[in-house]
Amino acid sequence: MDVTEFQQWVNDYYENRGWSDLDIFIRIGFLAEETGEVARAIRALEIGRDRPDEVAESFTNNRKALIEELGDVLGNVIVIANKYNISLEEVFNSHKEKLSKRYSQE
């Protein structure tokens, strides 16, 4: 599946569940929450779980958790992009161009 197909799939999936209708500020809150879960998943991969109420997982399971959390972040980013009719391809190209210009003197 390419990026455009995935963006459309997320759009359809979220719309079918009414999730796309949420206020944009609620969506930003979800994005922030999911970003925190990415941080927690990276912590588990890098330094492990150190609280007595947390179960230590294998590297493979921790990596799988990170992939899932990155997917949740991406899903929220896509919903935001779709709200403003922005394709991920446009985002990728804009970001590449910005960085290329910013660091072209190196």
Side-chain angles (χ1 to χ4, degrees):
M1 178 179 298
D2 71 20
V3 67
T4 303
E5 292 169 331
F6 185 67
Q7 185 170 3
Q8 184 60 53
W9 181 87
V10 168
N11 182 69
D12 296 344
Y13 191 87
Y14 278 55
E15 277 191 4
N16 287 338
R17 281 152 188 76
W19 297 348
S20 295
D21 299 334
L22 295 173
D23 183 90
I24 192 64
F25 294 105
I26 292 172
R27 179 62 52 201
I28 291 168
F30 288 159
L31 177 59
E33 178 183 346
E34 296 300 344
T35 302
E37 291 178 12
V38 166
R40 186 177 58 213
I42 290 172
R43 178 184 66 118
L45 273 168
E46 293 296 324
I47 61 174
R49 308 296 256 174
D50 59 357
R51 290 180 15 198
D53 63 335
E54 294 178 321
V55 176
E57 293 286 346
S58 68
F59 176 84
T60 301
N61 286 345
N62 286 334
R63 184 178 180 279
K64 182 180 178 199
L66 176 59
I67 291 168
E68 289 175 3
E69 298 305 339
L70 288 169
D72 291 343
V73 167
L74 185 55
N76 280 284
V77 167
I78 289 171
V79 171
I80 293 168
N82 287 345
K83 177 174 178 50
Y84 299 103
N85 197 30
I86 299 169
S87 73
L88 288 184
E89 190 169 341
E90 185 180 355
V91 172
F92 295 167
N93 290 331
S94 174
H95 189 66
K96 181 180 175 183
E97 182 180 330
K98 177 180 84 174
L99 294 179
S100 295
K101 285 180 181 177
R102 183 177 292 168
Y103 298 103
S104 65
Q105 303 302 319
E106 293 181 358

